[in-house]
Amino acid sequence: MDMKGTLKKGLAGMMDMFLPRVCIVCGCRLLRHERHLCLGCHMDMPLTRFWERSHNPMADRFNEVIQEGIEAGGAHESYAYAAALFLYHNEAGYRHIPYQIKYHGNIKAGEHFGAMLGKKLAVSPLYEDVDMIIPVPLHWTRQWKRGYNQAEVIASAAAEALGVPVRTDILVRKRRTKTQTKLDIKEKAQNVAGAFTVSEDAATIFRGGGSIRHIVLLDDVFTTGSTLGACFQALRSVFPPSVRISVVTLGYVER
Ligand SMILES: [Zn+2]
């Protein structure tokens, strides 16, 4: 090994002494070559494999959400695709991954798992015609306070792995909504209904669809699907039914 490599390794070792790197899921100390997860938690990661099939439990739940949304208007919507990287129940250790990304500024983890997700989509025929990834926007006041949008961090890494652009100029959060965590399903849907819109510039360009075939809407976690449902409705008001809109997340919370 050259001097530079030795020095780098030595520095990393010293960093470990001051700031021990631990597994996000189980909290055990990481070995030098491990990143974010220990080997055991990496191997045990409950991958959904939803990216391999158009019909899956997450897509069924999401299609229920959008069906409720369009019932009033009576518009027909073909079955939307949905996929997540991993699934968990509320109390499982894997919930720490999105939590770390969202509340602890662990942007590196967001990039790591976002890239992992993007690689899964990249080998799926269902997602081979994707034109862009749109992250669920935060209200600007919240993004300003947090310093970043966790969905955008994940989306950027996933888009890079998939070889498509990430677009943050299309979907806009019009108003601030209450934190969703303490609301029930119905309250959550009411809380986010109409909170999103498509920017005027994007609406002018994309009304009619143009050459767009497939949009992936991305969020960190799928819980009830109400936030993604509200985003979907906003995009659908501009993009015609010929444009497929799929939803993709890192985590899928099982009912
Ligand atoms: Zn672990």
Side-chain angles (χ1 to χ4, degrees):
M1 191 184 291
D2 60 14
M3 264 295 274
K4 224 170 142 190
T6 315
L7 199 68
K8 225 173 152 184
K9 245 187 161 168
L11 276 174
M14 258 164 70
M15 283 301 285
D16 271 6
M17 267 168 53
F18 295 120
L19 233 174
R21 298 183 315 123
V22 295
C23 171
I24 294 176
V25 171
C26 75
C28 79
R29 188 106 173 228
L30 292 181
L31 300 176
R32 195 171 288 145
H33 62 275
E34 292 171 339
R35 291 182 64 207
H36 310 290
L37 297 182
C38 69
L39 184 62
C41 290
H42 178 78
M43 300 297 284
D44 287 346
M45 194 174 207
L47 298 176
T48 66
R49 305 208 159 271
F50 288 166
W51 55 86
E52 291 172 354
R53 42 198 179 109
S54 56
H55 282 73
N56 61 56
M58 177 176 169
D60 285 347
R61 270 172 74 187
F62 186 64
N63 281 280
E64 275 171 36
V65 171
I66 54 181
Q67 207 48 50
E68 282 163 18
I70 57 178
E71 247 157 35
H76 175 74
E77 181 68 45
S78 59
Y79 192 81
Y81 295 165
L85 182 62
F86 56 88
L87 50 86
Y88 58 95
H89 297 287
N90 264 325
E91 292 310 312
Y94 288 89
R95 79 182 190 282
H96 294 307
I97 294 176
Y99 197 85
Q100 274 275 326
I101 299 166
K102 190 170 180 176
Y103 297 111
H104 291 279
N106 198 340
I107 288 174
K108 285 264 180 275
E111 292 167 350
H112 177 81
F113 294 105
M116 205 188 247
L117 174 63
K119 283 177 197 160
K120 303 296 186 199
L121 300 180
V123 295
S124 165
L126 300 177
Y127 296 90
E128 67 182 4
D129 59 349
V130 171
D131 298 290
M132 62 175 84
I133 298 185
I134 300 180
V136 170
L138 285 181
H139 190 261
W140 71 268
T141 54
R142 191 160 280 164
Q143 179 154 351
W144 184 72
K145 250 172 102 178
R146 189 172 293 163
Y148 62 97
N149 172 2
Q150 71 281 2
E152 192 181 327
V153 170
I154 299 160
S156 299
E160 202 187 322
L162 195 56
V164 299
V166 58
R167 297 287 298 258
T168 56
D169 57 331
I170 294 174
L171 198 57
V172 181
R173 196 160 198 141
K174 283 191 286 191
R175 58 180 170 80
R176 242 192 114 140
T177 47
K178 283 184 270 181
T179 305
Q180 296 274 72
T181 39
K182 291 208 172 78
L183 306 176
D184 68 27
I185 293 180
K186 221 172 180 171
E187 287 169 335
K188 278 184 183 177
Q190 285 165 351
N191 187 32
V192 291
F196 301 92
T197 188
V198 171
S199 72
E200 267 178 48
D201 285 353
T204 311
I205 297 167
F206 292 116
R207 203 173 290 284
S211 59
I212 304 298
R213 297 158 298 175
H214 192 167
I215 295 169
V216 162
L217 187 56
L218 187 142
D219 206 359
D220 52 353
V221 177
F222 185 103
T223 311
T224 64
S226 54
T227 302
L228 285 161
C231 290
F232 182 97
Q233 300 299 350
L235 290 175
R236 187 50 91 215
S237 70
V238 169
F239 292 94
S242 59
V243 178
R244 185 181 285 283
I245 302 171
S246 303
V247 295
V248 167
T249 62
L250 268 194
Y252 171 67
V253 183
E254 288 184 298
R255 278 199 265 225

